[in-house]
Amino acid sequence: MSVQSDYVKWPARLSKRNAWWELGDNWETTVTFFTIYFQFITSSVVFTFGSTFRQPVFRNYLLMVSWLCIYVTMSLVLLLPHLSFTHLWQVDREEFNGPNATSPVLAAYQQDGGAPSAAMPPSFRRDLWILNVSNSVAVCLWQKVVVEGPVARMLRSRFPSSTPKFHL
């Protein structure tokens, strides 16, 4: 993110510490939100793949359709250009640090000598999306292959646990 030519580090020193709602109009918040959000919705599926005593989540069609709708919606919020739908999410595709900034922090930044900057470019948002989707795939593979799959079976056979014996 910091190697992007349009990136301006968030001037947190100019914010009022108790005005938390003024801290969201920046690249850092957008990257953090989408990274965490995609991990949350991926975890909702990964931890319910099923096992010996539980059916896999894929058999719960309502939940899978809901999950897919949420994943696609958040992908569109990240990837689409500025629209009234995406404006609801306050993603940094808008030019928050443009001339006559409405954010009190960015207005103070410009008055303090900081230059206006462009919004987060589509290429960076696309790269962020690819990174998050890749992370989702990697987490799913790790769960199925290492935690629940052949690696786990190999480790269980190689290092069996002993059952505790209770004496009355």
Side-chain angles (χ1 to χ4, degrees), residues 48-66:
T48 56
F49 275 157
S51 62
T52 307
F53 303 106
R54 188 185 323 176
Q55 287 188 354
V57 70
F58 306 112
R59 300 184 93 192
N60 186 338
Y61 301 116
L62 180 61
L63 182 64
M64 290 310 299
V65 167
S66 299

Side-chain angles (χ1 to χ4, degrees), residues 78-81 91 93 120-129:
L78 179 60
L79 295 171
L80 287 176
V91 174
R93 76 171 45 72
M120 188 180 284
S123 61
F124 179 75
R125 293 194 320 260
R126 181 205 59 225
D127 293 347
L128 177 61
W129 180 77

Side-chain angles (χ1 to χ4, degrees), residues 55-136:
Q55 287 188 354
V57 70
F58 306 112
R59 300 184 93 192
N60 186 338
Y61 301 116
L62 180 61
L63 182 64
M64 290 310 299
V65 167
S66 299
W67 177 85
L68 185 63
C69 287
I70 290 171
Y71 207 94
V72 168
T73 300
M74 294 316 295
S75 295
L76 292 174
V77 166
L78 179 60
L79 295 171
L80 287 176
H82 179 69
L83 304 168
S84 58
F85 169 70
T86 58
H87 179 72
L88 294 172
W89 293 90
Q90 197 78 2
V91 174
D92 198 12
R93 76 171 45 72
E94 303 172 39
E95 197 171 0
F96 293 127
N97 191 27
N100 303 319
T102 58
S103 166
V105 177
L106 293 172
Y109 170 74
Q110 290 178 11
Q111 289 172 354
D112 200 31
S117 61
M120 188 180 284
S123 61
F124 179 75
R125 293 194 320 260
R126 181 205 59 225
D127 293 347
L128 177 61
W129 180 77
I130 291 170
L131 180 69
N132 283 313
V133 170
S134 301
N135 179 57
S136 295

Side-chain angles (χ1 to χ4, degrees), residues 9-27:
K9 185 177 179 188
W10 179 246
R13 62 183 168 72
L14 300 173
S15 67
K16 298 175 192 158
R17 303 294 186 248
N18 61 348
W20 57 267
W21 56 90
E22 295 177 353
L23 300 177
D25 297 339
N26 57 62
W27 288 36

